[in-house]
């Protein structure tokens, strides 16, 4: 006979738990490598390019464009969010603010 633990009836409140940056032993808080204005410019540029490419890829397919063009447009449309995310999360832990 197995005993199962049913803890779905309990509500957990973790509001009293410290944030990761305030934990003892943390050396420095998160410091992004790129300036906020640089990240904003990259986000805006990637948003504009992402929208353009997301529209251009199906249009190229509907217009019977060459296969290489549709593949390139689709690949670029998929890569744009990755590029924006890379600039947003890239950081150097040893960098001093």
């Amino acid at each position: 006979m197995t005993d199962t633990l049913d803890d779905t009836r309990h509500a957990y409140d973790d509001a009293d738990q410290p944030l990761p940056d305030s934990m003892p032993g943390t050396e420095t808080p998160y410091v992004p490598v790129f300036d906020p204005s640089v990240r904003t410019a990259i986000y805006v540029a990637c948003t504009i390019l992402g929208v353009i490419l997301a529209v251009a890829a199906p249009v190229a397919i509907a217009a019977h464009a060459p296969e290489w063009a549709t593949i390139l447009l689709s690949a670029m449309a998929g890569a744009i969010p990755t590029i924006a995310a890379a600039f947003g999360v890239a950081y150097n832990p040893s960098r001093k603010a």
Side-chain angles (χ1 to χ4, degrees), residues 36-78:
S37 60
V38 171
R39 291 194 315 264
T40 301
I42 290 171
Y43 290 152
V44 169
C46 286
T47 300
I48 292 168
L49 282 172
V51 169
I52 291 170
L53 290 170
V55 171
V59 168
I61 292 169
H64 303 291
E67 185 177 345
W68 65 268
T70 58
I71 291 172
L72 180 65
L73 287 170
S74 299
M76 288 173 59

Side-chain angles (χ1 to χ4, degrees), residues 1-78:
M1 198 154 137
T2 60
D3 294 327
T4 58
L5 178 62
D6 183 16
D7 62 351
T8 57
R9 294 175 293 179
H10 301 288
Y12 295 100
D13 183 17
D14 60 354
D16 61 339
Q17 298 298 314
L19 295 173
D21 286 343
S22 64
M23 301 272 301
T26 55
E27 297 173 14
T28 57
Y30 168 79
V31 179
V33 170
F34 301 101
D35 188 65
S37 60
V38 171
R39 291 194 315 264
T40 301
I42 290 171
Y43 290 152
V44 169
C46 286
T47 300
I48 292 168
L49 282 172
V51 169
I52 291 170
L53 290 170
V55 171
V59 168
I61 292 169
H64 303 291
E67 185 177 345
W68 65 268
T70 58
I71 291 172
L72 180 65
L73 287 170
S74 299
M76 288 173 59

